[in-house]
Amino acid sequence: MAIALIQGASRGIGLEYARILSSRGVQVIGTCRDPTRADNLKSLPNTQVFKCDVTKEDDIVNLSQIVEKHFNKLDLVVNSSAILHPSGRGETRLKDVDFNGLMSTLATNSAGPLVVAKHLSPLLQKGNGLIGSDKFKGNNKKCHAGILVNMTAKVGSISDNGLGGWYSYRMSKAALNMATKNLSIELGRGKNRIICLALHPGTTDTDLSRPYHKNVPADKLFSANFAVSKLLEIIDGATIDDTGRYIAWDGTDIPF
Ligand SMILES: NC(=O)c1ccc[n+]([C@@H]2O[C@H](COP(=O)([O-])OP(=O)(O)OC[C@H]3O[C@@H](n4cnc5c(N)ncnc54)[C@H](OP(=O)(O)O)[C@@H]3O)[C@@H](O)[C@H]2O)c1
């Protein structure tokens, strides 16, 4: 049976990954900061919920031990958690930047997902390639074990940045993209290769983007169901040749 761990599954895009994957019969492990406030997640079929604050390495270590004991492998890990900024709004100008807001955003959006990868990659290496393309199944040089998805954003692209602003969030996603690229190199070597992807969902109707919805044309604001369905098409078709890519919801590559 395929096993997927969705990190940051209490709301928004993470919850939608859990909903769609559990409805497919995948065993879902959903993590969140406070399981007592995650009734939507807990009500899903084939879903177990565990606590994990991504800024606390002890939580991540504890999670990895629970997953090893009860499941002993992972086929997919999605790092979905993120904050725009502790204030809920991106900085418009340099004078809005403050040390604590910047560090908190980097801890949640960049350091947290990398430390999750550190502790969960041994379990992804035990994956059976049950999620992703089976095109290279049986090909020892090309088959994959598990898939690691880091949810990123197009505003993390340095070359695409024509507007400025959102210092903390842009920096955090650019750093996450670098982490994903590094991971794709280290975890793509040898046997039991892990496909590492940085995926951008498009502007999606969730709490994170809510302060900006009035500026987004209705046809450019995706439902979580639409965005995650498109991202799962990418994940379902992924092979080791895709590892390290930074991909938008429609399958196009975003320049780093
Ligand atoms: N929505 C968009 O338009 C959009 C666009 C581009 C990229 N993205 C990316 O897509 C991903 C999902 O975003 P979303 O729109 O679903 O956001 P969201 O609705 O605001 O959900 C954010 C999730 O992150 C969790 N979280 C925050 N801090 C955490 C921490 N320290 N430890 C563990 N979990 C934590 C939240 O949990 P709590 O319930 O505990 O707060 C919540 O489940 C993010 O990586 C985001 O950057 C979103």
Side-chain angles (χ1 to χ4, degrees):
M1 186 189 215
I3 304 179
L5 186 146
I6 313 300
Q7 186 281 112
S10 58
R11 296 185 277 126
I13 288 168
L15 177 62
E16 193 59 25
Y17 268 111
R19 199 190 311 276
I20 297 179
L21 288 165
S22 66
S23 75
R24 287 183 180 182
V26 172
Q27 170 65 55
V28 171
I29 301 163
T31 74
C32 58
R33 285 190 279 197
D34 184 359
T36 66
R37 296 177 59 207
D39 288 344
N40 289 336
L41 179 62
K42 285 192 288 189
S43 69
L44 297 176
N46 327 318
T47 299
Q48 296 207 29
V49 180
F50 298 106
K51 178 187 183 308
C52 181
D53 181 328
V54 78
T55 63
K56 299 196 166 93
E57 189 155 359
D58 286 351
D59 275 15
I60 300 169
V61 170
N62 193 36
L63 174 69
S64 70
Q65 289 169 346
I66 292 170
V67 176
E68 181 170 23
K69 182 169 169 206
H70 294 287
F71 302 95
N72 197 36
K73 70 142 188 176
L74 289 168
D75 297 292
L76 173 69
V77 170
V78 179
N79 273 313
S80 192
S81 66
I83 56 172
L84 196 51
H85 185 268
S87 68
R89 298 190 78 97
E91 309 95 331
T92 313
R93 294 151 301 184
L94 181 57
K95 70 176 189 179
D96 301 328
V97 173
D98 66 273
F99 191 85
N100 289 340
L102 176 59
M103 295 310 284
S104 171
T105 309
L106 290 169
T108 306
N109 298 4
S110 322
L114 181 59
V115 175
V116 167
K118 170 186 164 185
H119 292 291
L120 296 186
S121 56
L123 290 160
L124 280 170
Q125 284 168 330
K126 295 185 190 173
N128 315 110
L130 295 180
I131 296 182
S133 167
D134 58 6
K135 187 169 134 188
F136 293 131
K137 201 168 180 191
N139 176 341
N140 285 341
K141 291 205 170 105
K142 290 262 192 170
C143 64
H144 71 277
I147 301 183
L148 172 70
V149 171
N150 285 329
M151 288 302 299
T152 186
K154 194 176 178 188
V155 296
S157 166
I158 293 173
S159 42
D160 184 69
N161 183 2
L163 282 177
W166 290 21
Y167 282 89
S168 299
Y169 189 70
R170 282 187 188 276
M171 287 171 65
S172 74
K173 292 300 188 183
L176 179 65
N177 290 344
M178 179 59 90
T180 309
K181 184 72 190 182
N182 253 25
L183 287 165
S184 74
I185 295 167
E186 181 166 348
L187 301 176
R189 293 190 184 118
K191 288 195 297 184
N192 308 320
R193 286 167 285 268
I194 298 172
I195 300 169
C196 302
L197 303 172
L199 297 185
H200 164 61
T203 307
T204 305
D205 186 0
T206 66
D207 295 336
L208 185 134
S209 59
R210 198 164 315 283
Y212 302 95
H213 285 178
K214 63 176 183 307
N215 305 327
V216 183
D219 63 330
K220 296 272 185 321
L221 183 64
F222 300 153
S223 68
N225 182 266
F226 175 83
V228 175
S229 298
K230 297 302 287 182
L231 297 177
L232 280 168
E233 282 176 22
I234 296 170
I235 294 167
D236 288 336
T239 72
I240 198 68
D241 289 343
D242 296 307
T243 199
R245 285 177 65 195
Y246 175 21
I247 314 174
W249 60 275
D250 60 358
T252 56
D253 284 280
I254 303 173
F256 284 89

